[in-house]
CSV table of all heavy atoms in Angstrom, one decimal:
chain,number,residue,atom,x,y,z
H,197,GLU,N,38.4,-39.4,45.3
H,197,GLU,CA,38.7,-38.4,44.3
H,197,GLU,C,38.6,-37.0,45.0
H,197,GLU,O,39.5,-36.1,44.8
H,197,GLU,CB,37.7,-38.4,43.2
H,197,GLU,CG,38.0,-37.5,42.1
H,197,GLU,CD,37.0,-37.5,40.9
H,197,GLU,OE1,36.4,-38.7,40.7
H,197,GLU,OE2,36.9,-36.6,40.1
H,198,ILE,N,37.6,-36.7,45.9
H,198,ILE,CA,37.5,-35.5,46.6
H,198,ILE,C,38.7,-35.2,47.4
H,198,ILE,O,39.2,-34.1,47.5
H,198,ILE,CB,36.2,-35.5,47.5
H,198,ILE,CG1,34.9,-35.5,46.6
H,198,ILE,CG2,36.2,-34.4,48.5
H,198,ILE,CD1,33.7,-35.8,47.4
H,199,ASN,N,39.3,-36.3,48.1
H,199,ASN,CA,40.4,-36.1,48.9
H,199,ASN,C,41.8,-36.2,48.2
H,199,ASN,O,42.9,-36.2,48.8
H,199,ASN,CB,40.4,-37.2,50.1
H,199,ASN,CG,39.4,-36.9,51.1
H,199,ASN,OD1,39.2,-35.7,51.5
H,199,ASN,ND2,38.6,-37.9,51.5
H,200,ARG,N,41.8,-36.4,46.9
H,200,ARG,CA,42.9,-36.5,46.0
H,200,ARG,C,43.7,-37.8,46.6
H,200,ARG,O,45.0,-37.8,46.7
H,200,ARG,CB,43.8,-35.3,46.1
H,200,ARG,CG,43.2,-34.1,45.3
H,200,ARG,CD,44.0,-32.9,45.1
H,200,ARG,NE,45.3,-33.2,44.6
H,200,ARG,CZ,45.7,-33.4,43.4
H,200,ARG,NH1,44.7,-33.6,42.5
H,200,ARG,NH2,46.9,-33.6,43.0
H,201,VAL,N,42.9,-38.9,46.8
H,201,VAL,CA,43.5,-40.1,47.2
H,201,VAL,C,43.3,-41.1,46.1
H,201,VAL,O,42.2,-41.1,45.5
H,201,VAL,CB,42.8,-40.6,48.5
H,201,VAL,CG1,43.3,-42.0,48.9
H,201,VAL,CG2,43.2,-39.7,49.6
H,202,ARG,N,44.2,-42.0,45.9
H,202,ARG,CA,44.0,-43.0,44.8
H,202,ARG,C,43.9,-44.4,45.5
H,202,ARG,O,44.7,-44.8,46.3
H,202,ARG,CB,45.3,-43.0,43.9
H,202,ARG,CG,45.2,-44.0,42.8
H,202,ARG,CD,46.3,-43.9,41.9
H,202,ARG,NE,46.3,-42.6,41.2
H,202,ARG,CZ,47.3,-41.8,41.1
H,202,ARG,NH1,48.4,-42.2,41.6
H,202,ARG,NH2,47.2,-40.7,40.4
H,203,ILE,N,42.8,-45.1,45.2
H,203,ILE,CA,42.7,-46.5,45.6
H,203,ILE,C,42.6,-47.3,44.3
H,203,ILE,O,41.9,-46.9,43.4
H,203,ILE,CB,41.5,-46.7,46.6
H,203,ILE,CG1,40.2,-46.4,45.9
H,203,ILE,CG2,41.7,-46.0,47.9
H,203,ILE,CD1,39.0,-46.9,46.8
H,204,LYS,N,43.2,-48.5,44.4
H,204,LYS,CA,43.1,-49.4,43.3
H,204,LYS,C,43.2,-50.8,43.7
H,204,LYS,O,43.8,-51.1,44.8
H,204,LYS,CB,43.9,-49.1,42.1
H,204,LYS,CG,45.4,-49.3,42.4
H,204,LYS,CD,46.2,-48.9,41.2
H,204,LYS,CE,47.7,-49.3,41.4
H,204,LYS,NZ,48.5,-49.1,40.2
H,205,ARG,N,42.6,-51.8,43.0
H,205,ARG,CA,42.7,-53.2,43.4
H,205,ARG,C,44.2,-53.6,43.1
H,205,ARG,O,44.8,-53.2,42.1
H,205,ARG,CB,41.8,-54.0,42.6
H,205,ARG,CG,40.3,-53.8,43.1
H,205,ARG,CD,39.4,-54.8,42.3
H,205,ARG,NE,38.1,-54.3,42.6
H,205,ARG,CZ,37.2,-55.0,43.2
H,205,ARG,NH1,37.5,-56.3,43.6
H,205,ARG,NH2,35.9,-54.6,43.4
H,206,THR,N,44.7,-54.5,43.9
H,206,THR,CA,46.0,-55.0,43.7
H,206,THR,C,46.1,-56.2,42.8
H,206,THR,O,47.2,-56.5,42.3
H,206,THR,CB,46.7,-55.5,45.1
H,206,THR,OG1,46.0,-56.5,45.5
H,206,THR,CG2,46.7,-54.3,46.1
H,207,GLY,N,45.0,-56.8,42.6
H,207,GLY,CA,45.0,-58.0,41.7
H,207,GLY,C,44.9,-59.4,42.6
H,207,GLY,O,44.7,-60.4,42.0
H,208,TYR,N,45.0,-59.2,43.9
H,208,TYR,CA,44.8,-60.3,44.8
H,208,TYR,C,43.5,-60.2,45.5
H,208,TYR,O,43.3,-59.4,46.3
H,208,TYR,CB,45.9,-60.3,45.8
H,208,TYR,CG,47.3,-60.6,45.2
H,208,TYR,CD1,48.2,-59.4,45.1
H,208,TYR,CD2,47.7,-61.8,44.8
H,208,TYR,CE1,49.5,-59.6,44.5
H,208,TYR,CE2,49.0,-62.0,44.2
H,208,TYR,CZ,49.8,-60.9,44.0
H,208,TYR,OH,51.1,-61.0,43.5
H,209,ASP,N,42.6,-61.1,45.1
H,209,ASP,CA,41.2,-61.1,45.7
H,209,ASP,C,40.6,-59.7,45.8
H,209,ASP,O,40.5,-59.0,44.8
H,209,ASP,CB,41.2,-61.8,47.1
H,209,ASP,CG,41.6,-63.2,47.0
H,209,ASP,OD1,41.1,-63.9,45.9
H,209,ASP,OD2,42.2,-63.8,47.8
H,210,ASN,N,40.3,-59.3,47.0
H,210,ASN,CA,39.7,-57.9,47.2
H,210,ASN,C,40.7,-57.0,47.8
H,210,ASN,O,40.3,-56.1,48.6
H,210,ASN,CB,38.4,-58.1,48.0
H,210,ASN,CG,37.3,-58.7,47.2
H,210,ASN,OD1,37.2,-58.5,46.0
H,210,ASN,ND2,36.4,-59.4,47.9
H,211,GLU,N,41.9,-57.1,47.6
H,211,GLU,CA,42.9,-56.1,48.2
H,211,GLU,C,42.9,-54.8,47.4
H,211,GLU,O,42.8,-54.7,46.3
H,211,GLU,CB,44.3,-56.7,48.1
H,211,GLU,CG,44.6,-57.7,49.2
H,211,GLU,CD,46.1,-58.1,49.3
H,211,GLU,OE1,46.9,-57.7,48.4
H,211,GLU,OE2,46.4,-58.7,50.3
H,212,TRP,N,43.0,-53.8,48.3
H,212,TRP,CA,43.1,-52.4,47.8
H,212,TRP,C,44.4,-51.8,48.2
H,212,TRP,O,44.8,-52.0,49.3
H,212,TRP,CB,41.9,-51.6,48.3
H,212,TRP,CG,40.6,-52.1,47.8
H,212,TRP,CD1,39.8,-53.0,48.5
H,212,TRP,CD2,40.0,-51.7,46.7
H,212,TRP,NE1,38.7,-53.3,47.7
H,212,TRP,CE2,38.8,-52.5,46.6
H,212,TRP,CE3,40.2,-50.8,45.6
H,212,TRP,CZ2,37.9,-52.3,45.6
H,212,TRP,CZ3,39.3,-50.7,44.6
H,212,TRP,CH2,38.2,-51.5,44.5
H,213,ILE,N,45.0,-51.0,47.3
H,213,ILE,CA,46.2,-50.2,47.7
H,213,ILE,C,45.8,-48.7,47.7
H,213,ILE,O,45.0,-48.3,46.9
H,213,ILE,CB,47.4,-50.4,46.7
H,213,ILE,CG1,48.6,-49.7,47.2
H,213,ILE,CG2,47.0,-50.0,45.3
H,213,ILE,CD1,49.9,-50.2,46.5
H,214,VAL,N,46.2,-48.0,48.8
H,214,VAL,CA,45.9,-46.6,49.0
H,214,VAL,C,47.1,-45.8,48.9
H,214,VAL,O,48.0,-46.0,49.6
H,214,VAL,CB,45.2,-46.5,50.4
H,214,VAL,CG1,44.8,-45.1,50.6
H,214,VAL,CG2,44.1,-47.5,50.6
H,215,THR,N,47.0,-44.7,48.1
H,215,THR,CA,48.1,-43.8,48.0
H,215,THR,C,47.6,-42.4,47.8
H,215,THR,O,46.3,-42.2,47.5
H,215,THR,CB,49.0,-44.1,46.8
H,215,THR,OG1,48.3,-44.0,45.6
H,215,THR,CG2,49.6,-45.5,46.9
H,216,LEU,N,48.4,-41.4,48.0
H,216,LEU,CA,48.0,-40.0,47.6
H,216,LEU,C,48.4,-39.8,46.2
H,216,LEU,O,49.4,-40.2,45.7
H,216,LEU,CB,48.7,-39.0,48.5
H,216,LEU,CG,48.4,-39.1,50.1
H,216,LEU,CD1,49.1,-38.0,50.8
H,216,LEU,CD2,46.8,-39.0,50.3
H,217,VAL,N,47.6,-38.9,45.5
H,217,VAL,CA,47.7,-38.7,44.0
H,217,VAL,C,49.1,-38.2,43.7
H,217,VAL,O,49.7,-38.6,42.7
H,217,VAL,CB,46.6,-37.8,43.6
H,217,VAL,CG1,46.8,-37.4,42.1
H,217,VAL,CG2,45.2,-38.5,43.7
H,218,GLU,N,49.6,-37.3,44.5
H,218,GLU,CA,50.9,-36.6,44.2
H,218,GLU,C,52.1,-37.4,44.6
H,218,GLU,O,53.3,-36.9,44.3
H,218,GLU,CB,50.9,-35.2,44.8
H,218,GLU,CG,51.0,-35.2,46.3
H,218,GLU,CD,49.6,-35.2,46.9
H,218,GLU,OE1,48.5,-35.2,46.2
H,218,GLU,OE2,49.5,-35.1,48.2
H,219,TRP,N,52.0,-38.5,45.1
H,219,TRP,CA,53.2,-39.3,45.5
H,219,TRP,C,54.0,-39.8,44.3
H,219,TRP,O,53.4,-40.2,43.3
H,219,TRP,CB,52.8,-40.5,46.3
H,219,TRP,CG,52.5,-40.2,47.8
H,219,TRP,CD1,52.5,-39.1,48.4
H,219,TRP,CD2,52.0,-41.2,48.7
H,219,TRP,NE1,52.2,-39.2,49.7
H,219,TRP,CE2,51.9,-40.5,49.9
H,219,TRP,CE3,51.8,-42.6,48.7
H,219,TRP,CZ2,51.5,-41.2,51.1
H,219,TRP,CZ3,51.4,-43.2,49.8
H,219,TRP,CH2,51.2,-42.5,51.0
H,220,THR,N,55.3,-39.8,44.5
H,220,THR,CA,56.2,-40.3,43.5
H,220,THR,C,56.1,-41.9,43.6
H,220,THR,O,55.7,-42.4,44.6
H,220,THR,CB,57.6,-39.8,43.6
H,220,THR,OG1,58.1,-40.3,45.0
H,220,THR,CG2,57.7,-38.3,43.6
H,221,ALA,N,56.8,-42.5,42.7
H,221,ALA,CA,56.8,-44.0,42.7
H,221,ALA,C,57.6,-44.5,43.9
H,221,ALA,O,57.1,-45.5,44.6
H,221,ALA,CB,57.5,-44.5,41.4
H,222,LYS,N,58.6,-43.8,44.3
H,222,LYS,CA,59.3,-44.2,45.6
H,222,LYS,C,58.5,-44.1,46.8
H,222,LYS,O,58.6,-44.8,47.7
H,222,LYS,CB,60.7,-43.4,45.7
H,222,LYS,CG,61.7,-43.8,44.7
H,222,LYS,CD,63.0,-43.0,45.0
H,222,LYS,CE,64.0,-43.5,44.0
H,222,LYS,NZ,65.4,-42.9,44.3
H,223,GLN,N,57.7,-43.0,46.9
H,223,GLN,CA,56.8,-42.8,48.0
H,223,GLN,C,55.7,-43.8,48.0
H,223,GLN,O,55.4,-44.4,49.1
H,223,GLN,CB,56.1,-41.4,48.0
H,223,GLN,CG,57.1,-40.3,48.3
H,223,GLN,CD,56.5,-38.9,48.1
H,223,GLN,OE1,56.0,-38.6,47.0
H,223,GLN,NE2,56.5,-38.1,49.1
H,224,VAL,N,55.2,-44.2,46.9
H,224,VAL,CA,54.2,-45.2,46.8
H,224,VAL,C,54.7,-46.5,47.4
H,224,VAL,O,54.2,-47.3,48.2
H,224,VAL,CB,53.6,-45.4,45.4
H,224,VAL,CG1,52.9,-46.7,45.3
H,224,VAL,CG2,52.8,-44.2,45.0
H,225,GLU,N,56.0,-46.9,46.9
H,225,GLU,CA,56.6,-48.1,47.3
H,225,GLU,C,56.9,-48.1,48.8
H,225,GLU,O,56.7,-49.2,49.4
H,225,GLU,CB,57.9,-48.3,46.6
H,225,GLU,CG,58.6,-49.6,46.7
H,225,GLU,CD,59.9,-49.6,45.9
H,225,GLU,OE1,59.9,-49.4,44.7
H,225,GLU,OE2,61.0,-49.9,46.5
H,226,ARG,N,57.2,-47.0,49.4
H,226,ARG,CA,57.6,-47.0,50.8
H,226,ARG,C,56.4,-46.8,51.7
H,226,ARG,O,56.4,-47.3,52.8
H,226,ARG,CB,58.6,-45.8,50.9
H,226,ARG,CG,59.3,-45.8,52.3
H,226,ARG,CD,60.3,-44.7,52.4
H,226,ARG,NE,59.7,-43.4,52.4
H,226,ARG,CZ,59.9,-42.4,51.6
H,226,ARG,NH1,60.6,-42.6,50.5
H,226,ARG,NH2,59.3,-41.2,51.7
H,227,MET,N,55.4,-46.1,51.3
H,227,MET,CA,54.3,-45.7,52.2
H,227,MET,C,52.9,-46.1,51.9
H,227,MET,O,51.9,-45.8,52.6
H,227,MET,CB,54.3,-44.1,52.3
H,227,MET,CG,55.5,-43.6,52.9
H,227,MET,SD,55.6,-41.9,53.3
H,227,MET,CE,55.4,-41.1,51.7
H,228,ALA,N,52.7,-46.8,50.8
H,228,ALA,CA,51.3,-47.3,50.4
H,228,ALA,C,50.7,-48.2,51.5
H,228,ALA,O,51.4,-48.9,52.2
H,228,ALA,CB,51.4,-48.0,49.1
H,229,TYR,N,49.4,-48.1,51.6
H,229,TYR,CA,48.7,-48.9,52.6
H,229,TYR,C,47.9,-49.9,51.8
H,229,TYR,O,47.2,-49.6,50.8
H,229,TYR,CB,47.7,-47.9,53.4
H,229,TYR,CG,46.9,-48.7,54.4
H,229,TYR,CD1,47.4,-49.2,55.6
H,229,TYR,CD2,45.5,-48.8,54.1
H,229,TYR,CE1,46.6,-49.8,56.5
H,229,TYR,CE2,44.7,-49.6,55.1
H,229,TYR,CZ,45.3,-50.0,56.3
H,229,TYR,OH,44.5,-50.6,57.2
H,230,VAL,N,47.9,-51.1,52.2
H,230,VAL,CA,47.2,-52.2,51.6
H,230,VAL,C,46.2,-52.8,52.6
H,230,VAL,O,46.5,-53.1,53.7
H,230,VAL,CB,48.2,-53.3,51.1
H,230,VAL,CG1,47.3,-54.4,50.4
H,230,VAL,CG2,49.2,-52.7,50.1
């Protein structure tokens, strides 16, 4: 939250997806880190 980063569980075991808060859906799709 301090870094304006969003992490959330993907639904598969303990996987996490990492994105920046201001990213659009297209940016998330293209650049998210899992």
Side-chain angles (χ1 to χ4, degrees):
E197 186 177 336
I198 290 168
N199 286 317
R200 296 188 43 78
V201 171
R202 183 177 293 130
I203 62 169
K204 66 179 188 175
R205 289 183 193 244
T206 64
Y208 297 102
D209 293 325
N210 285 330
E211 280 191 348
W212 295 91
I213 187 167
V214 183
T215 61
L216 296 182
V217 171
E218 65 273 2
W219 281 359
T220 64
K222 284 186 179 184
Q223 286 173 306
V224 167
E225 187 177 305
R226 194 173 71 242
M227 298 187 293
Y229 179 75
V230 179

